[in-house]
Amino acid sequence: MDVTTEVTPSEAGTILTVDLSAIVANWQTLRLICGEAECGAVVKADAYGLGLKPVVTALYEAGCKTFFVAHAFEGRAARAIAPDAAIYVLNGMRPDTAPLYADFNLAPVLCSVPEIEDWGQYCAVTGRRTAEGGLLPAAFRFETGLNQLGLKPYDLEHGIHLSHLFDIRLIMTQLAHAKHEATITKQIEKFEIMRAKLPNVPASIAHSGAIFLEANPLYDLVRPGYALYGGNPVPGRPNPMKPVVRLEAQVIQVRILEPGERVGEDQGWVARGPRRISTISAGFADGIPQSLTRSGSGGAVISQGKRCPYIGGVGMDLVAVDTSDSGYVERGDIVELIGPSITIDDFAAAAGISGYEVLTGLGQRCHRKYQKL
């Protein structure tokens, strides 16, 4: 049995509920905000850990026609769901993989001269075309400040020289986080200089946070990811997005501790008085960061409407919470880890990590429920 896909509610320690209608609503909200710019969707990393197939299906049926993935195998999976969508592979094209892009009409986001040469040579030698008879698609990614992937100005000159061999459908760059607005301003300036070399090619620069910048660089196409999945694209301000995920876990044992008794493998938590402790069936294998139990983190679950702090360290499969101040708790009860009372961003802040890491780290062994109202 494949435990990642066939786990049942009675077998699972954790239950992840994904509201597909909320994802669609978030996409529609962003589309309205963006006006004439097309609103695509970033569905890399298994749609940020929430399931590529159900997420792409819901967005495609709602009218989304452009998707971004990180790897070709993700693009192949998305193509099976969205036959006429534009699918861009953000991590470029690895050696000897050109046929895969052509077979599934995927557009590699070319980030270096060797990639451009490989794709151009493949297109020239094979003469392959799209189903409509056009040149095979590609995009160019410009390097504007992150120094991870992308073409510098001198690379672009070489790329333009070979661009007649394929169809450059998009030029793009990756922005820093929206809180670094000064950096983003410099990135936009660099992007504009390089964009002038390809003035008639559609451009894309805005991720979730950049959509909400005062001088938002929307261009022709925006690429939201985190906001689609309920993350707050405007930290420090009310979240304009609908919540998407709910993570719950089951209480599997309740015990009363006497003063001085310790909890967890590291024995770091000591009961200062009589306490009622509940062990829940969730651990770091389910995406619960070990940092949630550090002193002063504020990490907690919701049990019967009360915040109950994590204590004693997060194990691979188990973590204890102090339910002394909750109502009567017993074996089999369900507690909220992420949901209406604890958002993705709350959970991330308590753990000292990003919301992106929270979403993509949610364990595959939980029972998954998909809702579409």
Side-chain angles (χ1 to χ4, degrees), residues 56 71 105 114 133 194 213 246 263 302-303 319 335 354:
V56 171
H71 302 287
N105 193 25
M194 298 178 73
L213 291 175
R246 184 183 182 110
V263 175
I302 302 298
S303 174
V319 65
V335 299
S354 73

Side-chain angles (χ1 to χ4, degrees), residues 50-323:
L50 302 186
L52 184 143
K53 183 176 180 180
V55 169
V56 171
T57 298
L59 288 171
Y60 181 69
E61 290 177 350
C64 184
K65 296 300 183 183
T66 301
F67 296 93
F68 293 86
V69 297
H71 302 287
F73 74 87
E74 295 174 323
R76 177 160 42 87
R79 175 60 69 214
I81 304 162
D84 62 344
I87 300 175
Y88 292 92
V89 182
L90 293 167
N91 280 21
M93 192 177 69
R94 296 175 187 173
D96 304 317
T97 60
L100 177 60
Y101 291 83
D103 289 346
F104 292 92
N105 193 25
L106 307 176
V109 178
L110 303 175
C111 306
S112 68
V113 170
E115 290 180 24
I116 294 171
E117 291 175 339
D118 283 354
W119 189 232
Q121 182 180 31
Y122 177 82
C123 294
V125 170
T126 64
R128 293 191 64 172
R129 298 277 178 145
T130 65
E132 297 76 26
L135 295 173
L136 295 181
F140 281 175
R141 172 169 168 164
F142 299 162
E143 205 314 286
T144 58
L146 299 191
N147 288 307
Q148 293 176 332
L149 291 175
L151 303 167
K152 290 285 193 177
Y154 48 80
D155 299 319
L156 180 58
E157 295 296 337
H158 189 71
I160 292 173
H161 177 67
L162 297 174
S163 63
H164 65 284
L165 299 172
F166 46 82
D167 182 10
I168 306 176
R169 295 188 180 176
L170 189 69
I171 53 175
M172 57 178 289
T173 195
Q174 179 66 28
L175 295 178
H177 291 303
K179 62 183 179 181
H180 301 291
E181 291 196 39
T183 299
I184 288 177
T185 298
K186 293 180 181 178
Q187 287 189 266
I188 295 171
E189 291 172 356
K190 292 179 180 179
F191 185 78
E192 282 290 343
I193 292 170
M194 298 178 73
R195 183 183 176 224
K197 302 290 186 179
L198 293 164
N200 298 318
V201 178
S204 175
I205 196 172
H207 50 37
S208 293
I211 290 172
F212 291 87
L213 291 175
E214 185 174 346
N216 49 355
L218 299 182
Y219 291 103
D220 302 289
L221 171 66
V222 298
R223 313 188 308 269
Y226 188 51
L228 289 177
Y229 308 112
N232 190 353
V234 286
R237 290 150 52 188
N239 189 351
M241 301 291 102
K242 290 181 177 293
V244 169
V245 300
R246 184 183 182 110
L247 181 66
E248 300 167 300
Q250 191 173 74
V251 173
I252 55 177
Q253 190 173 75
V254 181
R255 67 174 67 248
I256 303 297
L257 297 189
E258 298 298 327
E261 288 196 89
R262 296 176 178 271
V263 175
E265 295 177 7
D266 65 2
Q267 294 287 281
W269 188 88
V270 184
R272 304 301 180 189
R275 308 303 293 172
R276 186 170 65 249
I277 305 304
S278 299
T279 299
I280 62 174
S281 185
F284 59 76
D286 304 288
I288 314 303
Q290 292 180 307
S291 54
L292 276 174
T293 57
R294 73 181 187 275
S295 177
S297 75
V301 305
I302 302 298
S303 174
Q304 301 184 28
K306 300 288 186 179
R307 292 181 65 87
C308 302
Y310 294 98
I311 59 172
V314 180
M316 182 180 290
D317 312 298
L318 304 171
V319 65
V321 293
D322 185 351
T323 50

